[in-house]
Amino acid sequence: MSRQRNIEAILASEYVTIGELVRLTDTRYSTLKYYTEEAMLPFEQGEANLTRRYRREESVRRIEKIKALKEEGKSIPEIKSLLGIPVDRK
């Protein structure tokens, strides 16, 4: 059985897991995984168990921006360009 942190602990933390970002942003896990793989969502690699750690505030802002751009009808390459990410970079 996994131990989930409560929302207060998550909100007080500088770093969160992708699962915690799912809870904070109401975004599907597979979507966040895709954003990560496309270099749209930066992370740091934890040394102990190779867990990806995301800066909570920065990541939530980035996800909200991506969602807003998608609602405007922007494509992934357009969003990457607007975020300053080279379109061919993975």
Side-chain angles (χ1 to χ4, degrees), residues 10-65:
I10 294 169
L11 291 172
S13 190
E14 181 180 0
Y15 289 95
V16 294
T17 66
I18 194 168
E20 291 167 343
L21 278 177
V22 168
R23 292 171 63 194
L24 290 173
T25 64
D26 195 30
T27 305
R28 291 176 46 188
Y29 178 91
S30 58
T31 300
L32 296 181
K33 185 85 166 151
Y34 175 76
Y35 293 163
T36 299
E37 291 169 356
E38 290 294 314
M40 297 167 68
L41 193 57
F43 66 91
E44 295 179 20
Q45 195 79 41
E47 292 179 25
N49 54 6
L50 301 179
T51 301
R52 292 178 176 171
R53 304 176 329 146
Y54 300 82
R55 287 189 178 274
R56 180 180 49 82
E57 291 180 3
E58 175 185 326
S59 297
V60 169
R61 279 194 304 270
R62 175 67 64 100
I63 293 163
E64 289 171 353
K65 182 167 184 135

Side-chain angles (χ1 to χ4, degrees), residues 65 69 72 74-85:
K65 182 167 184 135
L69 291 168
E72 292 176 13
K74 303 286 188 215
S75 68
I76 293 297
E78 289 172 322
I79 293 170
K80 288 173 83 170
S81 177
L82 290 167
L83 294 175
I85 301 164

